[in-house]
Amino acid sequence: MTDANKTNNPAESLPKNYEHQEVEPRWVKAWEELGVHRYRPDSAAAKAGKTYAIDTPPPYVSAAHLHTGHAMSYSQAEFVVRFKRMRGYEIYYPMGFDDNGLPTERYVEQKYKIQKGKITRKDFVDLCLKETREGAAVYEQLWRALGLSVDWRMTYSTIQPRAVHNSQQSFLDLVAKGRMERREDPILWCPACATSLAQADVESGDEQNRPMHAVRFDVDPSTATADSPQSGKIETTRPELVPACVALACHPSDKRFAQLKTIRFRVPLTNLRANEAGEAGDPGDFRTIPLVFDETVDPEFGTGLMMVCTFGDPEDIAKWRKHQLETVLILDPQGRIVTPNLPTLHNKRVHVQAKGSQLYSEARLAAVELLREHAYLEGIADNVSRASLHERCSTPVEIQVAPQWFIRLLDLKEPLLARGRELNWYPEFMRERYEQWVENLRWDWNISRQRFYGVPFPVWFCNGCDEPIFADLDQLPIDPTMTACSKACPKCGSRDSRPEPDVMDTWMTSSLTPLINSNWAMWNDKDPESLPIQDQPRPEIYPAGVRVQAHEIIRTWLFYTVAKGHLHTESLPWKDVMISGWGLDRQGKKMSKRAGNFVDPAEVIGKYGADSLRYWSAGATLGNDLRYLEEDVKGGRRLLTKLWNSTRFALMYLADWQPGQVAETPTAADLWVRGKLQQCVADATTGFEHYEYNRSLRASELFFWGDWCDNYLEIVKDRFKDGTRFGAGEVEAGRQTLLWGTWTLLRLFAPILPFITEELYNRTIKGFLGDKAPASLHIAPWPQSESGEIDVFGAPATAEAMTNGQTLLDLIAAVRAARTAGKIGGGRPLQVIHVRGDINNLKGFSAVQLDWLAGSRAEGFDQQQPEGAEWLMIGASGVELAIVPAPQEPAPQA
RNA sequence: AGGCGCGUAGCUCAGGGGUUAGAGCACCACGUUGACAUCGUGGGGGUCGGCGGUUCAAAUCCGCCCGCGCCUACCA
């Protein structure tokens, strides 16, 4: 407390101003020391089966992109955690960091401007680890400053040995269950990252002009019939793939082609020979391809003929499979065209943009040039469509053929949809996104990545027969590139083997977070003996109580986690899922580092306090995005100030007082505000119970500002003045109302505003609670139990008390309006209030009289109707009033 | 193209069959009051995107349309 804050006010234990810069860091430290956020598996609550585990996203460690949107979603999750803790649950709230796989690699590549292949695996991994540690530290600092009530003894990171162990264990379990397959298949491939991908790693790009090229395919004369055309025309956006063409396709009922079942087409350019400088070879050198009939071809599109190549898109794969076409691969892993016979096309990259703004690859330019030169090109037309992009680097996705590990999922759509229906979604409508994703699955989950920073597969391959040789469980975690295989090939007995060089998809680990939590997060690295390591999921922690995450990763994190839960444990991984939205900028665009429209949460916390930032976060409705507006954060600070001042006010009249020395006789105002508060508690509780923190906060705010501060405090003031017309029992009732009302309000706001409420609790209420006072507000009991009882102010208010209260508010509002009309300030006492009309229309008038006069600063009222009085209606009662101010004290004259 | 969400005061958003549709910010006027000027009191401001339907009653439910956002699919 500074001298400037000292005051002669009776409430001297509270400084005049609230200083979040001083208070918040102090409580961060104190909570740690008090162990308020610690998980205690042996607590009474835990033993009673009331454990609440929460699974929040392990953020990527590329911490430089932290913005208020991140702070928002983690705050929203934590509101519920604090509520549940006060509700008496044993909270299991660990924090993880995702420092694994491609996202980290991309981050490191960009930061250090390096590429795969130009740095040793070890150096690269070391850089990743370094960034990982630094990133985690930045996150932890922010999360602590934000007041997240994480048990910081329980952290995991996805590259730590135990997470690697877990991922490899997951792999082996799926091998044992027959879910894991090794297949050489066409797969989604990112040529920039030079790795295969899963369907979930692909997103669709913006609409762009991707010109349509008309290309002529000549009919091979030896297959032509008398009435067949001499050529067919196809249209394609991928002319560079013409040399990889393996068939033309048409609809089976298309009359134009129905008679041409035996016809073959010459693939353009395939007769050219490099050693003759691109000159044409013998016509017999053309590669020829069949015409196939396929229902998926739209006869109305273009010429009704469609080119099938290996491979341009998933449609090609489908037709290639169905019609058992040959395979012609002309794309290498880096996305370069491999066509030695076409030197001007050979080695050209498919996805290097030509100069200028349009996406137009150098390979495409070269191919168009060749087709034009050899007169196959019959036109180019504008065409708008979207490309499928790798979501980590925005490079258009290609298709490669390579052996990969797949988790077979396509046959599980039904059970996975059933899991989605079993899960409680908050909000409910988000379930639809999950359903759609599962219904639209087209690929099994490819978990192989041709990268080097990730979880290794616990697998070697026999050099004799290529059979995979799996590590044993007790060898995990293991890196086969570092440890030689100790076993002979189970198929051929050979002892000669090579390691699997690929690493796992990062989601292979992230999808296990509920299992990591239940198994290994308790394992304290610094003191492995401190808590038991358990092999099996603990039922109180798995399935967890809730998963909290944003909507855009329903198809990835949520889907994969549900799938893993289904496969490993035949259960859901959690009971509930709460979906949060995005933090948007003022214009409504998603905040991101790339867009440069982000606000640094640390700055906001420094300026306005974590509570104010949390207040803003609580403004979102469930599942909806929220714009970041500094005005709203200021609104939070405004609430803090009001809370501080109103509590200070209450304390003023509670100093040196112990409740219960005098029997209380509550006035109409007491009864009314107590009833209002009970209703507010019920509303705030219902909100939190449905994860609707926003409803809860608004209910509390509405009561606090509108009923408590604006009305009750104004009415009760008078009781503590010298010469008050209220008796000792009424004064006692006022004090009781102030005490228990403040106590309740602090608890209602505690989950959203943990710092200021904790500070106020400790400086005020705690002293009144005696020996049983909780050490922290955040382990104090929530004012309404799960069975519905509200533990404040006894029995619910009567209907009469609430009706009387409304009359009281109407009367006071009318006086206030009269003051404004007469330009009479609220501080100036009134000599008398005249009332005219049938006073019986004011229900409970006699009961509220004293509170009314007290709240109006009036000496009394009468029913005279003097000339010239200005009458104002009281509510809708038909009764009117007029005010007469006390004489002005003459202003001191100079 | 399909699905989901949204469209309410100048701005940002609640509300989601039942009095006269709300809040915060902004705006106007008044007022410095023994908690609070980081404030209080009072006030102005809305055809609830459009059209049609159901109903005693529609911002709310249904249908169609328009605009925006997102998710998914896609014209080869």
Side-chain angles (χ1 to χ4, degrees):
Chain A
M1 196 189 309
T2 62
D3 284 348
N5 269 329
K6 285 228 172 182
T7 163
N8 295 323
N9 197 298
E12 61 187 312
S13 69
L14 273 191
K16 180 157 169 57
N17 295 319
Y18 173 62
E19 307 287 353
H20 72 262
Q21 297 94 333
E22 185 272 323
V23 171
E24 292 186 349
R26 179 152 52 72
W27 280 111
V28 167
K29 195 159 164 262
W31 286 332
E32 191 70 37
E33 286 163 6
L34 290 168
V36 173
H37 306 149
R38 257 181 221 177
Y39 171 61
R40 294 183 169 83
D42 53 352
S43 71
K47 284 177 179 157
K50 287 186 70 173
T51 295
Y52 187 76
I54 181 168
D55 181 29
T56 60
Y60 295 129
V61 293
S62 42
H65 74 289
L66 267 176
H67 52 64
T68 49
H70 296 100
M72 179 192 93
S73 58
Y74 282 87
S75 296
Q76 290 168 349
E78 210 255 347
F79 299 151
V80 178
V81 169
R82 285 195 184 264
F83 167 70
K84 285 281 188 181
R85 188 180 286 114
M86 293 175 77
R87 263 275 162 107
Y89 282 83
E90 189 58 40
I91 299 296
Y92 186 88
Y93 186 12
M95 181 58 68
F97 297 99
D98 193 356
D99 29 31
N100 185 3
L102 209 40
T104 306
E105 288 197 43
R106 291 284 308 164
Y107 176 71
V108 167
E109 280 179 352
Q110 282 169 6
K111 178 160 178 179
Y112 294 95
K113 310 236 184 303
I114 50 178
Q115 272 195 324
K116 176 183 175 183
K118 302 200 172 148
I119 179 169
T120 67
R121 178 176 171 134
K122 181 178 182 307
D123 286 349
F124 191 88
V125 169
D126 285 347
L127 277 180
C128 290
L129 287 168
K130 173 171 170 285
E131 287 302 318
T132 285
R133 279 190 296 270
E134 290 173 8
V138 172
Y139 269 106
E140 182 170 338
Q141 198 180 4
L142 177 69
W143 292 161
R144 283 179 184 272
L146 197 55
L148 298 191
S149 57
V150 168
D151 185 343
W152 287 103
R153 298 170 308 163
M154 307 191 305
T155 60
Y156 66 86
S157 114
T158 54
I159 47 153
Q160 280 175 332
R162 61 178 181 273
V164 172
H165 179 123
N166 203 357
S167 309
Q168 293 182 334
Q169 183 180 345
S170 166
F171 174 84
L172 293 179
D173 188 47
L174 295 176
V175 169
K177 288 185 158 82
R179 275 283 145 200
M180 195 61 71
E181 286 185 8
R182 177 92 178 154
R183 297 202 301 259
E184 179 153 1
D185 260 3
I187 41 168
L188 294 163
W189 185 271
C190 176
C193 300
T195 182
S196 63
L197 301 173
Q199 187 177 346
D201 301 320
V202 177
E203 63 181 12
S204 79
D206 294 333
E207 285 195 338
Q208 274 181 326
N209 185 19
R210 303 172 70 222
M212 193 71 83
H213 303 74
V215 178
R216 194 191 73 251
F217 278 63
D218 293 328
V219 172
D220 182 351
S222 68
T223 67
T225 58
D227 52 350
S228 66
Q230 296 188 331
S231 67
K233 190 167 81 173
I234 59 97
E235 294 194 324
T236 180
T237 57
R238 304 289 309 268
E240 69 276 17
L241 292 181
V242 162
C245 200
V246 293
L248 297 190
C250 68
H251 195 273
S253 64
D254 192 329
K255 293 196 174 62
R256 292 169 293 180
F257 308 108
Q259 305 306 314
L260 309 178
K261 289 196 165 56
T262 57
I263 206 172
R264 291 184 75 84
F265 291 92
R266 290 173 163 173
V267 179
L269 309 177
T270 52
N271 61 323
L272 302 183
R273 290 294 170 265
N275 56 7
E276 294 171 33
E279 285 169 21
D282 185 85
D285 291 345
F286 275 108
R287 189 162 61 76
T288 67
I289 56 174
L291 177 65
V292 298
F293 298 83
D294 197 300
E295 256 109 34
T296 63
V297 180
D298 177 4
E300 303 298 316
F301 189 92
T303 59
L305 271 183
M306 179 179 176
M307 157 176 117
V308 182
C309 45
T310 50
F311 296 95
D313 61 28
E315 276 306 302
D316 287 340
I317 299 173
K319 293 186 181 62
W320 168 78
R321 282 222 168 92
K322 182 172 168 188
H323 303 286
Q324 307 208 328
L325 302 170
E326 64 176 317
T327 308
V328 180
L329 301 175
I330 62 163
L331 209 59
D332 79 359
Q334 282 74 39
R336 288 182 296 242
I337 301 278
V338 182
T339 52
N341 282 326
L342 304 171
T344 58
L345 180 59
H346 184 59
N347 257 334
K348 289 286 191 298
R349 301 186 74 99
V350 174
H351 295 126
V352 174
Q353 267 181 260
K355 302 268 191 215
S357 60
Q358 281 202 330
L359 180 78
Y360 211 80
S361 73
E362 59 180 25
R364 197 160 306 158
L365 283 176
V368 166
E369 204 38 56
L370 272 172
L371 290 167
R372 192 194 317 264
E373 185 187 329
H374 295 276
Y376 294 110
L377 188 66
E378 307 213 327
I380 302 179
D382 286 351
N383 168 58
V384 172
S385 73
R386 299 165 185 276
S388 293
L389 309 177
H390 179 202
E391 67 158 0
R392 298 282 166 211
C393 68
S394 297
T395 303
V397 165
E398 293 296 342
I399 288 165
Q400 285 276 308
V401 178
Q404 309 280 316
W405 291 103
F406 293 90
I407 300 177
R408 209 159 15 85
L409 291 182
L410 289 180
D411 59 326
L412 291 179
K413 284 188 182 186
E414 269 315 312
L416 289 175
L417 287 170
R419 291 292 178 204
R421 290 189 286 268
E422 194 186 331
L423 184 59
N424 301 314
W425 293 76
Y426 298 92
E428 177 68 30
F429 68 81
M430 284 293 178
R431 185 198 311 272
E432 200 59 36
R433 298 226 187 162
Y434 173 87
E435 297 238 342
Q436 261 190 346
W437 176 254
V438 175
E439 280 164 5
N440 282 315
L441 272 182
R442 298 176 66 171
W443 305 72
D444 285 326
W445 182 9
N446 169 19
I447 58 166
S448 295
R449 296 293 179 276
Q450 289 65 47
R451 300 291 302 191
F452 38 57
Y453 186 63
V455 174
F457 285 88
V459 176
W460 300 263
F461 294 105
C462 172
N463 277 334
C465 66
D466 276 345
E467 182 75 2
I469 306 167
F470 299 104
D472 291 328
L473 267 179
D474 58 14
Q475 291 180 283
L476 307 185
I478 193 167
D479 182 348
T481 64
M482 308 296 283
T483 306
C485 182
S486 58
K487 298 196 271 190
C489 172
K491 192 171 165 193
C492 73
S494 165
R495 290 209 156 262
D496 183 19
S497 65
R498 62 183 190 281
E500 160 70 275
D502 289 355
V503 295
M504 293 180 189
D505 179 6
T506 183
W507 294 111
M508 189 62 186
T509 306
S510 317
S511 57
L512 296 169
T513 54
L515 285 162
I516 294 174
N517 285 338
S518 71
N519 281 312
W520 291 295
M522 293 291 287
W523 181 4
N524 183 338
D525 277 344
K526 288 164 197 148
D527 181 13
E529 302 305 312
S530 64
L531 291 164
I533 302 165
Q534 306 204 10
D535 293 331
Q536 293 305 312
R538 286 170 287 165
E540 68 276 23
I541 294 172
Y542 185 96
V546 68
R547 149 69 64 88
V548 182
Q549 61 162 81
H551 48 64
E552 87 277 14
I553 49 175
I554 287 174
R555 67 178 198 172
T556 49
W557 195 36
L558 190 142
F559 167 69
Y560 286 140
T561 312
V562 168
K564 284 289 185 76
H566 178 74
L567 291 171
H568 289 308
T569 64
E570 293 173 37
S571 74
L572 281 175
W574 347 264
K575 295 179 188 74
D576 300 343
V577 61
M578 168 179 157
I579 303 293
S580 65
W582 289 337
L584 308 178
D585 68 11
R586 185 174 287 276
Q587 281 72 39
K589 296 266 180 248
K590 187 186 179 188
M591 268 194 199
S592 74
K593 186 194 178 193
R594 203 189 296 174
N597 59 349
F598 66 101
V599 177
D600 178 2
E603 267 178 42
V604 179
I605 290 173
K607 193 167 172 192
Y608 297 106
D611 282 336
S612 301
L613 182 57
R614 292 169 64 106
Y615 172 88
W616 165 73
S617 305
T621 44
L622 203 47
N624 285 318
D625 301 341
L626 181 65
R627 287 180 207 229
Y628 178 78
L629 301 172
E630 193 168 355
E631 302 93 280
D632 290 346
V633 181
K634 285 181 181 166
R637 188 177 59 177
R638 202 168 142 260
L639 176 59
L640 301 190
T641 303
K642 194 75 174 174
L643 203 51
W644 185 261
N645 287 325
S646 65
T647 307
R648 213 166 132 253
F649 169 84
L651 191 63
M652 253 170 60
Y653 302 114
L654 299 178
D656 304 323
W657 168 78
Q658 282 300 311
Q661 308 290 309
V662 178
E664 66 159 7
T665 49
T667 70
D670 293 314
L671 295 174
W672 161 78
V673 84
R674 293 174 183 191
K676 277 284 192 179
L677 179 54
Q678 287 173 327
Q679 186 55 50
C680 168
V681 168
D683 293 344
T685 303
T686 304
F688 276 132
E689 281 174 338
H690 296 91
Y691 296 95
E692 296 186 20
Y693 43 80
N694 164 284
R695 275 177 190 257
S696 182
L697 172 61
R698 275 186 313 107
S700 299
E701 254 188 311
L702 195 68
F703 169 80
F704 170 65
W705 218 289
D707 297 325
W708 185 252
C709 292
D710 290 349
N711 286 305
Y712 182 72
L713 296 189
E714 293 301 328
I715 293 166
V716 80
K717 262 177 199 179
D718 186 68
R719 278 185 230 181
F720 306 109
K721 286 180 181 160
D722 292 339
T724 178
R725 65 201 100 189
F726 292 96
E730 287 150 341
V731 173
E732 173 72 10
R735 289 199 164 111
Q736 300 260 0
T737 310
L738 286 176
L739 175 63
W740 305 119
T742 300
W743 169 223
T744 304
L745 276 165
L746 291 180
R747 285 178 290 167
L748 291 180
F749 283 120
I752 314 277
L753 314 171
F755 291 103
I756 191 169
T757 52
E758 179 78 297
E759 177 75 359
L760 286 170
Y761 164 73
N762 276 269
R763 301 186 82 129
T764 63
I765 303 299
K766 196 175 175 186
F768 290 97
L769 298 183
D771 297 341
K772 284 183 280 183
S776 162
L777 176 66
H778 299 291
I779 49 177
W782 184 256
Q784 183 172 16
S785 71
E786 281 191 292
S787 49
E789 289 112 31
I790 295 173
D791 82 340
V792 62
F793 294 131
T798 61
E800 188 191 5
M802 303 315 285
T803 309
N804 291 352
Q806 191 52 53
T807 299
L808 177 56
L809 294 193
D810 288 345
L811 282 163
I812 288 175
V815 172
R816 285 171 175 168
R819 280 179 183 272
T820 296
K823 301 191 180 183
I824 300 157
R828 190 166 161 199
L830 301 179
Q831 196 173 62
V832 69
I833 304 173
H834 304 303
V835 179
R836 76 174 184 193
D838 184 357
I839 226 161
N840 292 323
N841 286 348
L842 298 168
K843 293 199 172 61
F845 178 74
S846 60
V848 305
Q849 262 180 48
L850 282 187
D851 284 321
W852 169 47
L853 295 175
S856 305
R857 297 195 179 207
E859 290 166 24
F861 79 96
D862 61 27
Q863 299 196 58
Q864 296 176 21
Q865 299 183 31
E867 288 290 316
E870 303 222 13
W871 296 96
L872 261 158
M873 184 79 80
I874 302 164
S877 64
V879 187
E880 294 172 299
L881 63 70
I883 60 172
V884 180
Q888 284 273 39
E889 304 227 346
Q893 294 291 319

